[in-house]
PDB file of all heavy atoms in Angstrom:
ATOM      1  N   ASP A 233     109.087 108.766  76.966  1.00 82.00           N
ATOM      2  CA  ASP A 233     107.936 108.812  76.054  1.00 82.00           C
ATOM      3  C   ASP A 233     107.078 110.044  76.317  1.00 82.00           C
ATOM      4  O   ASP A 233     106.496 110.616  75.409  1.00 82.00           O
ATOM      5  CB  ASP A 233     107.076 107.556  76.218  1.00 82.00           C
ATOM      6  CG  ASP A 233     107.803 106.305  75.773  1.00 82.00           C
ATOM      7  OD1 ASP A 233     108.762 106.427  74.990  1.00 82.00           O
ATOM      8  OD2 ASP A 233     107.409 105.217  76.207  1.00 82.00           O
ATOM      9  N   ARG A 234     106.992 110.410  77.581  1.00 84.00           N
ATOM     10  CA  ARG A 234     106.244 111.599  77.995  1.00 84.00           C
ATOM     11  C   ARG A 234     107.205 112.495  78.766  1.00 84.00           C
ATOM     12  O   ARG A 234     107.256 112.453  79.986  1.00 84.00           O
ATOM     13  CB  ARG A 234     105.066 111.180  78.881  1.00 84.00           C
ATOM     14  CG  ARG A 234     104.067 112.279  79.112  1.00 84.00           C
ATOM     15  CD  ARG A 234     102.956 111.798  80.059  1.00 84.00           C
ATOM     16  NE  ARG A 234     102.603 112.828  80.990  1.00 84.00           N
ATOM     17  CZ  ARG A 234     103.203 113.094  82.153  1.00 84.00           C
ATOM     18  NH1 ARG A 234     104.203 112.363  82.554  1.00 84.00           N
ATOM     19  NH2 ARG A 234     102.799 114.061  82.929  1.00 84.00           N
ATOM     20  N   PRO A 235     107.993 113.282  78.023  1.00 84.00           N
ATOM     21  CA  PRO A 235     109.018 114.107  78.681  1.00 84.00           C
ATOM     22  C   PRO A 235     108.430 115.021  79.757  1.00 84.00           C
ATOM     23  O   PRO A 235     107.362 115.598  79.582  1.00 84.00           O
ATOM     24  CB  PRO A 235     109.604 114.932  77.538  1.00 84.00           C
ATOM     25  CG  PRO A 235     109.258 114.205  76.298  1.00 84.00           C
ATOM     26  CD  PRO A 235     107.968 113.498  76.580  1.00 84.00           C
ATOM     27  N   GLN A 236     109.140 115.105  80.859  1.00 87.00           N
ATOM     28  CA  GLN A 236     108.709 115.949  81.965  1.00 87.00           C
ATOM     29  C   GLN A 236     109.450 117.277  81.927  1.00 87.00           C
ATOM     30  O   GLN A 236     110.576 117.359  81.448  1.00 87.00           O
ATOM     31  CB  GLN A 236     108.999 115.264  83.297  1.00 87.00           C
ATOM     32  CG  GLN A 236     108.199 114.002  83.524  1.00 87.00           C
ATOM     33  CD  GLN A 236     108.457 113.398  84.897  1.00 87.00           C
ATOM     34  OE1 GLN A 236     109.299 113.867  85.653  1.00 87.00           O
ATOM     35  NE2 GLN A 236     107.723 112.360  85.222  1.00 87.00           N
ATOM     36  N   SER A 237     108.823 118.289  82.472  1.00 87.00           N
ATOM     37  CA  SER A 237     109.473 119.587  82.607  1.00 87.00           C
ATOM     38  C   SER A 237     110.549 119.470  83.689  1.00 87.00           C
ATOM     39  O   SER A 237     110.581 118.503  84.455  1.00 87.00           O
ATOM     40  CB  SER A 237     108.456 120.649  83.006  1.00 87.00           C
ATOM     41  OG  SER A 237     108.003 120.415  84.333  1.00 87.00           O
ATOM     42  N   VAL A 238     111.403 120.466  83.779  1.00 87.00           N
ATOM     43  CA  VAL A 238     112.431 120.474  84.818  1.00 87.00           C
ATOM     44  C   VAL A 238     111.758 120.475  86.185  1.00 87.00           C
ATOM     45  O   VAL A 238     112.196 119.768  87.098  1.00 87.00           O
ATOM     46  CB  VAL A 238     113.376 121.689  84.663  1.00 87.00           C
ATOM     47  CG1 VAL A 238     114.354 121.767  85.824  1.00 87.00           C
ATOM     48  CG2 VAL A 238     114.126 121.624  83.351  1.00 87.00           C
ATOM     49  N   LYS A 239     110.693 121.232  86.316  1.00 90.00           N
ATOM     50  CA  LYS A 239     109.980 121.298  87.598  1.00 90.00           C
ATOM     51  C   LYS A 239     109.394 119.936  87.979  1.00 90.00           C
ATOM     52  O   LYS A 239     109.521 119.493  89.122  1.00 90.00           O
ATOM     53  CB  LYS A 239     108.878 122.355  87.508  1.00 90.00           C
ATOM     54  CG  LYS A 239     108.244 122.683  88.826  1.00 90.00           C
ATOM     55  CD  LYS A 239     107.285 123.859  88.677  1.00 90.00           C
ATOM     56  CE  LYS A 239     106.801 124.318  90.025  1.00 90.00           C
ATOM     57  NZ  LYS A 239     105.987 125.530  89.915  1.00 90.00           N
ATOM     58  N   GLU A 240     108.761 119.254  87.028  1.00 90.00           N
ATOM     59  CA  GLU A 240     108.202 117.917  87.291  1.00 90.00           C
ATOM     60  C   GLU A 240     109.303 116.918  87.636  1.00 90.00           C
ATOM     61  O   GLU A 240     109.156 116.093  88.537  1.00 90.00           O
ATOM     62  CB  GLU A 240     107.433 117.406  86.070  1.00 90.00           C
ATOM     63  CG  GLU A 240     106.150 118.124  85.784  1.00 90.00           C
ATOM     64  CD  GLU A 240     105.541 117.716  84.461  1.00 90.00           C
ATOM     65  OE1 GLU A 240     106.293 117.574  83.468  1.00 90.00           O
ATOM     66  OE2 GLU A 240     104.313 117.546  84.420  1.00 90.00           O
ATOM     67  N   THR A 241     110.397 116.997  86.919  1.00 89.00           N
ATOM     68  CA  THR A 241     111.530 116.102  87.165  1.00 89.00           C
ATOM     69  C   THR A 241     112.111 116.346  88.550  1.00 89.00           C
ATOM     70  O   THR A 241     112.393 115.399  89.287  1.00 89.00           O
ATOM     71  CB  THR A 241     112.617 116.298  86.085  1.00 89.00           C
ATOM     72  OG1 THR A 241     112.038 116.049  84.803  1.00 89.00           O
ATOM     73  CG2 THR A 241     113.786 115.359  86.306  1.00 89.00           C
ATOM     74  N   ALA A 242     112.272 117.604  88.897  1.00 90.00           N
ATOM     75  CA  ALA A 242     112.796 117.954  90.224  1.00 90.00           C
ATOM     76  C   ALA A 242     111.907 117.378  91.312  1.00 90.00           C
ATOM     77  O   ALA A 242     112.399 116.768  92.265  1.00 90.00           O
ATOM     78  CB  ALA A 242     112.912 119.468  90.362  1.00 90.00           C
ATOM     79  N   TYR A 243     110.616 117.551  91.180  1.00 89.00           N
ATOM     80  CA  TYR A 243     109.673 117.031  92.169  1.00 89.00           C
ATOM     81  C   TYR A 243     109.747 115.505  92.239  1.00 89.00           C
ATOM     82  O   TYR A 243     109.782 114.929  93.321  1.00 89.00           O
ATOM     83  CB  TYR A 243     108.253 117.492  91.825  1.00 89.00           C
ATOM     84  CG  TYR A 243     107.231 116.995  92.806  1.00 89.00           C
ATOM     85  CD1 TYR A 243     107.119 117.566  94.074  1.00 89.00           C
ATOM     86  CD2 TYR A 243     106.378 115.953  92.484  1.00 89.00           C
ATOM     87  CE1 TYR A 243     106.192 117.107  94.989  1.00 89.00           C
ATOM     88  CE2 TYR A 243     105.443 115.485  93.387  1.00 89.00           C
ATOM     89  CZ  TYR A 243     105.354 116.062  94.634  1.00 89.00           C
ATOM     90  OH  TYR A 243     104.439 115.590  95.536  1.00 89.00           O
ATOM     91  N   ALA A 244     109.820 114.843  91.080  1.00 88.00           N
ATOM     92  CA  ALA A 244     109.882 113.375  91.034  1.00 88.00           C
ATOM     93  C   ALA A 244     111.136 112.835  91.717  1.00 88.00           C
ATOM     94  O   ALA A 244     111.127 111.733  92.266  1.00 88.00           O
ATOM     95  CB  ALA A 244     109.832 112.891  89.590  1.00 88.00           C
ATOM     96  N   LEU A 245     112.204 113.631  91.693  1.00 88.00           N
ATOM     97  CA  LEU A 245     113.462 113.197  92.309  1.00 88.00           C
ATOM     98  C   LEU A 245     113.623 113.672  93.744  1.00 88.00           C
ATOM     99  O   LEU A 245     114.652 113.456  94.368  1.00 88.00           O
ATOM    100  CB  LEU A 245     114.653 113.665  91.465  1.00 88.00           C
ATOM    101  CG  LEU A 245     114.769 113.007  90.092  1.00 88.00           C
ATOM    102  CD1 LEU A 245     115.908 113.624  89.306  1.00 88.00           C
ATOM    103  CD2 LEU A 245     114.961 111.503  90.218  1.00 88.00           C
TER     104      LEU A 245
END
Side-chain angles (χ1 to χ4, degrees):
D233 294 339
R234 193 183 139 275
Q236 294 183 355
S237 69
V238 174
K239 190 173 188 174
E240 290 172 318
T241 302
Y243 180 75
L245 293 175

